[in-house]
Amino acid sequence: MKQPMKGMELSERFFKEIAMPLLRQAFPQLSYSAGLLGFGSDVLGYDDAVSTDHMWGPRFYLFLRPEDIDQKEAIMDMFAAQLPQEFLGYTVNFSDPDPEDGGVRCAQKQEEKARVNPLIFIHTEAEYLKAYLGCETVSQLSVWDWLSLSEHKLLSLTCGRWFKDDLGIERRWGPLSYYPETVWLYRIASDWSLIAEEQAFVRRCADVGDDLGSRLVCSRIAERLMHLAFLYCRRYAPYSKWLGTAFAALPIDPQIKTAIEAAATAETVEERERQIVRTQQRMAMLHNARHITEPVSTKVETYFTRAIQVIWADRVAEAVKKRLAGTVLEPLAPIGGFSELANFAALTEHPRYRRSIAAFYQTQGEIPMETIQIKYFDTEIDKIAPREGGDWIDLRAAETVRLEAGEFRLIRLGVGMILPPGYEAHVIPRSSTFIQYGIIQTNHMGLIDESYCGDEDEWKLPVYALRDTVIQKNDRICQFRIAKKQPRICFEEVGKLREKSRGGFGSTGAQ
């Protein structure tokens, strides 16, 4: 097959030479950002002739401000009418999304005068992030959020290219450039710990006649070592299709690459063990060179009294775990990220499961509740004190309010919060609220969902006054607590309920 132009170069030229002039002419006042990022081998620079069979060609993403998104249809209509059928010999028109193949679209030649159906996607920034990552902002990600994000998707966002960025999205996405320190350390400790669990099995499996098992163990250790190489280089690793390609390009000791390939292809257990241990030794040397912990021993030793060679990978794991002491990640089982499991794409790549993954990490064992991020919209109200658990937490009026009998008001509470994944807040009046102020909460109990966490999402209390009253700023008027959200429920229809009937509504009487 003919080697095509690289998709990134093709798409950038298509945007700058064709699409951008059309936008400037038809929508001269429009501010937008455009680029190629997200899915696709062309984003990573790995595209070849085979890649051109679907979702490849002149394409880009166009990001609009929320107040301009209503122009999406008009913009796409303009593109359909004015884009050429081909650009630099590549088809600009694409088929409709195939519902039987995950919405895949393929280049589709058509008559010269026909309207073009281009591979252009228009979103707001929040729409795109929610659809691609499962979150609407990246400015305040918790460690649990970081552990729930697909590593391949993080790579595809950070190695994409912006062709024009009026909206400053590239700057706002700066925090995605790499893992925060604690998450990075947790993943390093996890990979070494997982290697340590099987470090003696390459030889042990072969000793009992299980050469296949020995090869499988060696392959798992090799893959963990490859992921460690990415971590030490502070680079995101791609998913399995491109893992070896990206690993070969890492700026690491060439002996690591040579040894890991030799281990994976070794025909004898002696050579397999020698090379996989050599790889671990070299990786431990790389660890020491990064000065992440106190230097760890890289000496090859005998595994207790057995004729098995190891470097005691658990020593490296324990050294890194010490760096996690006192952090919320300290109690977690050292399992690393789900993205490192090659066949878990159905879970890790689907944004609908991101919050469940975050909750999985957060609720492991007896892990204490993570600190809730809180913003105070008013500096004059008393701040909420830390709680050990159990008690309802008081909230205060962030303004002085005068109400006449029969008047309704939303009273500002002066706070906004990012609740832990899978939790919601319940807000109710304090027991003394009606006695002191003569007000009732109109919805009886307020429910604040975890998604209500934007920078301007201030909590408020809806009240109705039964008498004339004055509420002073900083008065305690309500209280809240957080609770786990209701699990998914499946209703099963039956013809008869098996339990004994109680006798109807109110049947327990007054006694």
Side-chain angles (χ1 to χ4, degrees):
M1 297 179 75
K2 175 186 175 183
Q3 179 66 34
M5 175 189 293
K6 283 294 185 179
M8 184 65 76
E9 179 188 354
L10 173 64
S11 294
E12 184 169 14
R13 289 190 59 181
F14 173 65
F15 171 77
K16 291 182 176 179
E17 297 176 26
I18 303 296
M20 188 165 67
L22 290 176
L23 284 168
R24 187 186 301 120
Q25 181 180 13
F27 302 89
Q29 304 302 316
L30 186 68
S31 292
Y32 62 88
S33 294
L36 184 60
L37 61 157
F39 76 87
S41 56
D42 49 356
V43 174
L44 303 180
Y46 299 144
D47 50 323
D48 58 14
V50 176
S51 307
T52 64
D53 63 355
H54 70 287
M55 301 299 282
W56 188 96
R59 68 186 188 97
F60 61 88
Y61 284 87
L62 186 68
F63 293 88
L64 303 181
R65 296 176 300 186
E67 58 266 34
D68 294 329
I69 196 63
D70 59 350
Q71 298 187 65
K72 174 179 177 178
E73 186 174 339
I75 293 172
M76 290 303 295
D77 185 68
M78 180 273 294
F79 281 144
Q82 299 189 39
L83 283 175
Q85 294 291 334
E86 289 189 355
F87 176 71
L88 300 179
Y90 295 95
T91 302
V92 176
N93 184 71
F94 284 77
S95 63
D96 290 330
D98 183 354
E100 301 299 320
D101 192 17
V104 161
R105 300 175 62 186
C106 301
Q108 191 175 70
K109 289 189 176 183
Q110 58 180 4
E111 296 179 1
E112 184 63 33
K113 295 183 179 181
R115 287 170 62 85
V116 174
N117 188 12
L119 204 58
I120 298 172
F121 307 91
I122 302 179
H123 303 280
T124 65
E125 179 183 359
E127 284 174 350
Y128 178 81
L129 287 173
K130 187 172 184 179
Y132 196 65
L133 288 184
C135 54
E136 295 183 4
T137 179
V138 299
S139 61
Q140 293 180 315
L141 296 174
S142 70
V143 292
W144 317 118
D145 291 324
W146 276 103
L147 289 170
S148 70
L149 293 172
S150 158
E151 185 172 9
H152 182 82
K153 286 190 172 183
L154 289 170
L155 172 66
S156 68
L157 290 182
T158 54
C159 73
R161 186 182 302 174
W162 293 98
F163 307 149
K164 180 179 172 65
D165 191 19
D166 294 340
L167 308 186
I169 297 176
E170 184 175 18
R171 174 184 54 80
R172 281 195 298 279
W173 289 7
L176 293 179
S177 61
Y178 202 62
Y179 294 121
E181 185 83 355
T182 52
V183 176
W184 178 63
L185 291 170
Y186 169 72
R187 295 192 67 152
I188 291 175
S190 295
D191 279 335
W192 278 112
S193 182
L194 292 167
I195 290 169
E197 287 183 11
E198 297 189 291
Q199 62 187 337
F201 296 169
V202 172
R203 166 69 72 166
R204 183 62 179 143
C205 288
D207 285 348
V208 296
D210 183 11
D211 188 65
L212 176 58
S214 173
R215 292 173 184 268
L216 291 173
V217 170
C218 183
S219 295
R220 280 196 297 271
I221 294 176
E223 187 172 1
R224 290 291 175 187
L225 288 165
M226 291 170 69
H227 279 285
L228 277 170
F230 283 95
L231 288 165
Y232 286 130
C233 292
R234 292 183 181 265
R235 295 187 183 183
Y236 293 125
Y239 72 154
S240 58
K241 180 165 65 171
W242 304 118
L243 184 64
T245 302
F247 174 75
L250 288 178
I252 59 172
D253 180 357
Q255 293 189 51
I256 293 177
K257 300 175 184 178
T258 301
I260 208 165
E261 183 174 355
T265 58
E267 290 298 324
T268 66
V269 66
E270 290 79 14
E271 180 66 6
R272 191 177 308 132
E273 180 188 49
R274 188 176 74 84
Q275 295 292 355
I276 202 65
V277 172
R278 177 170 170 247
T279 309
Q280 294 172 59
Q281 184 182 45
R282 289 286 174 178
M283 196 64 71
M285 291 177 180
L286 178 59
H287 172 89
N288 287 338
R290 294 291 191 262
H291 305 292
I292 299 168
T293 66
E294 290 295 318
V296 295
S297 172
T298 61
K299 182 181 178 182
V300 178
E301 301 179 29
T302 300
Y303 186 71
F304 299 106
T305 60
R306 300 182 179 184
I308 296 173
Q309 300 297 298
V310 297
I311 67 156
W312 297 107
D314 30 338
R315 291 176 182 171
V316 191
E318 290 305 317
V320 182
K321 287 178 184 177
K322 289 179 181 178
R323 291 281 312 275
L324 293 170
T327 72
V328 292
L329 297 182
E330 181 184 9
L332 264 65
I335 59 172
F338 286 166
S339 291
E340 293 185 49
L341 302 175
N343 295 327
F344 269 40
L347 175 69
T348 60
E349 302 302 303
H350 204 305
R352 68 177 292 187
Y353 300 124
R354 190 193 66 77
R355 289 189 180 275
S356 297
I357 296 173
F360 165 79
Y361 281 104
Q362 188 172 354
T363 56
Q364 278 187 59
E366 297 298 324
I367 299 174
M369 182 62 65
E370 182 189 2
T371 299
I372 293 177
Q373 294 182 10
I374 182 169
K375 174 182 177 179
Y376 289 92
F377 290 83
D378 192 296
T379 58
E380 296 179 8
I381 60 173
D382 291 350
K383 293 188 176 181
I384 298 172
R387 297 285 169 148
E388 293 298 326
D391 294 338
W392 288 75
I393 303 169
D394 291 333
L395 293 170
R396 299 172 181 271
E399 57 184 335
T400 296
V401 179
R402 298 180 181 275
L403 295 171
E404 296 181 357
E407 187 176 355
F408 169 81
R409 181 75 62 86
L410 278 173
I411 301 178
R412 294 177 50 236
L413 299 176
V415 296
M417 304 183 200
I418 297 180
L419 301 177
Y423 281 78
E424 61 193 18
H426 299 164
V427 183
I428 62 173
R430 300 181 73 240
S431 58
S432 60
T433 298
F434 179 74
I435 297 173
Q436 287 188 306
Y437 305 109
I439 58 174
I440 59 174
Q441 185 174 339
T442 56
N443 56 352
H444 303 292
M445 184 185 81
L447 176 63
I448 299 177
D449 188 79
E450 60 183 318
S451 63
Y452 189 72
C453 59
D455 192 54
E456 301 301 324
D457 289 339
E458 181 180 5
W459 291 15
K460 297 177 183 180
L461 183 71
V463 303
Y464 180 81
L466 297 181
R467 58 176 170 82
D468 294 352
T469 187
V470 177
I471 300 165
Q472 299 292 339
K473 187 174 186 177
N474 210 42
D475 282 352
R476 294 181 295 169
I477 57 173
C478 60
Q479 56 191 338
F480 83 98
R481 73 190 310 171
I482 66 172
K484 282 189 175 182
K485 297 175 73 171
Q486 180 171 278
R488 294 181 63 188
I489 295 174
C490 176
F491 291 95
E492 179 185 358
E493 184 177 353
V494 297
K496 183 178 181 180
L497 301 176
R498 294 178 298 174
E499 300 299 323
K500 181 180 178 181
S501 298
R502 202 179 70 175
F505 184 79
S507 59
T508 56
Q511 299 301 317

